[in-house]
Amino acid sequence: MEKALKIYAEVVRLVRRLPKDSQSYYAKYARENFVNYREVEANDDQALHELFLRAYNHSLWVLNKCLVDKSAAEKLKKICST
């Protein structure tokens, strides 16, 4: 649970790097996705790893779409891969 919260916090930080007109949409989208997956078993390491990897990959896609340097997601990558 602690790792998921760290990932969510980092995703929210990345949303703040997006253009102002898209921040509210992606902040809401991120929140909804994290809430939707709260039922995943905390002891299912494989499912959690897949979700964390999906969060990272989707964040990269959004950053690229909004022309934000992908290196901004390095901290998220470290959190997701540990």
Side-chain angles (χ1 to χ4, degrees):
M1 178 69 159
E2 183 178 327
K3 184 174 181 178
L5 291 174
K6 286 180 182 180
I7 291 171
Y8 178 70
E10 190 58 30
V11 168
V12 170
R13 285 185 197 99
L14 290 174
V15 166
R16 292 184 191 135
R17 292 176 169 260
L18 301 176
K20 292 286 185 198
D21 60 339
S22 44
Q23 287 181 5
S24 63
Y25 171 79
Y26 285 109
K28 183 178 178 184
Y29 182 82
R31 170 123 173 92
E32 287 173 356
N33 274 289
F34 275 87
V35 168
N36 287 339
Y37 292 109
R38 69 177 171 230
E39 301 300 322
V40 173
E41 294 292 326
N43 59 355
D44 188 348
D45 291 336
Q46 181 64 30
L48 289 174
H49 177 71
E50 290 173 9
L51 286 174
F52 297 156
L53 185 60
R54 187 182 310 163
Y56 172 70
N57 288 329
H58 188 76
S59 296
L60 286 180
W61 183 85
V62 171
L63 291 172
N64 188 47
K65 177 184 173 191
C66 295
L67 304 175
V68 176
D69 185 8
K70 290 190 281 187
S71 67
E74 283 301 312
K75 185 173 180 184
L76 178 61
K77 181 179 181 179
K78 288 177 187 174
I79 297 169
C80 289
S81 62
T82 58

